Amino acid sequence: MREFDHEFAEFIYYTPGYLDKEAQLWPVRAGRSIAKPHYRVGPKRIECYSLHFVLEGKVCLEYADKRVELQKDDLFCLFPGRTYHYYALPEEPPPQMNWLALDGSRVGPLLGLAGITPERPFGRRLISSRARETLDRTIAALAGVERWNPAVSLQLQGRICRLLAELIPDTAPASAAEPSAWIRECMEFMDLHATEGITVQQVAAFAGVHRSYFSNVFTAQIGLPPQKYLQNIRMEKAKRLLAETNASVTEIALSLGYPNLYTFTRAFKGYYKIPPLAMRAAKNG
């Protein structure tokens, strides 16, 4: 571990390949930290989902004008585009944490099955001995990646899915364990056609149900409204096109189903809090 101002920490980074992105679930980075007594992070925002596992000590998390104290075997998640602030508590043992940052459109719904949502981004007593063992093995596997290949991708996806499964309480309703068949078909339809500018009304028509009924069932089973799900798909594709291609912002806007550059830029800035060209500059930085 390296020493920093507020902690001793190890950082592990991962670059996803095509199999990771096709699965809509991949690791971004991971690490371990031992906090110093004056440990303090934020306020900050990130672009992915960052799970922090409290292994020892206590930490205070502030989000959306709320404050919660967490201790050993608790965890919290930093959700994309939201402001968080977390720090060590005075006169309490400074926290020791492992973290795993994930990305992809499947992450939010899977965290929702464990009760981890933007409105309640933490869980108490979720780190069982099996979950901790799976977490340790996942981080060790990430640290051992020398170069990307399909086998590594599939192994990491399996480890991450197992870890998320360990976080789902045994008391979770059976109906929440997996979306119903017709909702899964709607998700596949949305994944395929989101960049064509489809609306929630069109998805409801595809399912053959009323828009309000579809929205209510989708939100209950997936953990976020269908409009947000469509937006997540478009914004993730936009970020990837900015980072991986030299396409103009106008070309990206029209390719993702937006009627014009202004509408896309406004949506992008509202989602990521920075304009598209600023994100491209930062990625190329």
Side-chain angles (χ1 to χ4, degrees):
M1 288 189 176
R2 292 176 55 195
E3 183 175 4
F4 299 89
D5 288 343
H6 301 289
E7 63 183 342
F8 296 89
E10 173 189 12
F11 295 88
I12 302 164
Y13 300 98
Y14 178 76
T15 302
Y18 74 93
L19 273 183
D20 303 283
K21 294 179 179 179
E22 286 179 356
Q24 301 176 52
L25 173 69
W26 63 86
V28 176
R29 55 184 173 270
R32 307 176 178 92
S33 70
I34 301 174
K36 296 180 179 180
H38 56 286
Y39 178 75
R40 184 173 293 269
V41 177
K44 66 182 294 186
R45 295 186 180 205
I46 62 173
E47 298 177 1
C48 56
Y49 301 81
S50 187
L51 283 165
H52 293 247
F53 300 79
V54 184
L55 306 181
E56 298 291 344
K58 291 187 177 182
V59 62
C60 183
L61 171 68
E62 292 184 358
Y63 65 99
D65 298 323
K66 297 179 182 178
R67 179 180 183 275
V68 62
E69 294 183 6
L70 303 170
Q71 58 186 353
K72 181 180 178 180
D73 295 335
D74 295 341
L75 66 84
F76 62 93
C77 179
L78 311 184
F79 280 78
R82 293 176 177 256
T83 301
Y84 299 89
H85 183 196
Y86 51 98
Y87 48 89
L89 290 163
E91 301 181 1
E92 294 284 356
Q96 295 183 29
M97 295 188 289
N98 286 358
W99 71 87
L100 177 64
L102 305 172
D103 208 351
S105 61
R106 292 177 60 201
V107 182
L110 290 174
L111 289 175
L113 296 179
I116 309 298
T117 66
E119 294 72 32
R120 190 179 186 277
F122 64 91
R124 298 191 184 278
R125 309 296 295 176
L126 288 184
I127 310 176
S128 65
S129 58
R130 290 192 305 179
R132 181 162 180 170
E133 179 182 357
T134 303
L135 173 65
D136 289 343
R137 290 183 175 180
T138 303
I139 293 177
L142 278 169
V145 174
E146 295 183 359
R147 56 181 298 180
W148 187 92
N149 64 61
V152 166
S153 172
L154 293 175
Q155 289 168 1
L156 289 174
Q157 288 172 29
R159 291 183 185 278
I160 292 169
C161 287
R162 179 175 178 179
L163 174 61
L164 295 175
E166 297 285 2
L167 303 180
I168 299 173
D170 293 336
T171 55
S175 60
E178 184 71 20
S180 57
W182 72 276
I183 289 292
R184 288 200 302 272
E185 290 177 0
C186 289
M187 294 173 70
E188 292 171 0
F189 180 81
M190 296 161 83
D191 293 341
L192 183 62
H193 299 293
T195 58
E196 298 165 23
I198 60 170
T199 64
V200 175
Q201 177 61 51
Q202 288 175 294
V203 183
F206 166 79
V209 298
H210 192 275
R211 183 185 188 280
S212 60
Y213 175 77
F214 166 69
S215 295
N216 291 337
V217 175
F218 188 95
T219 302
Q221 294 194 19
I222 305 305
L224 73 167
Q227 185 62 48
K228 181 67 174 178
Y229 185 82
L230 284 170
Q231 183 188 37
N232 288 351
I233 296 172
R234 291 167 180 151
M235 289 295 105
E236 178 57 39
K237 288 180 182 292
K239 182 173 71 172
R240 192 158 68 245
L241 288 170
L242 286 166
E244 299 176 3
T245 75
N246 62 357
S248 68
V249 177
T250 298
E251 183 180 352
I252 292 172
L254 298 179
S255 298
L256 296 178
Y258 288 90
N260 52 56
L261 175 62
Y262 173 75
T263 303
F264 167 70
T265 302
R266 184 176 61 180
F268 190 95
K269 189 173 181 180
Y271 190 87
Y272 287 118
K273 310 306 177 187
I274 60 173
L277 287 178
M279 176 173 284
R280 170 171 278 173
K283 292 287 186 181
N284 295 335

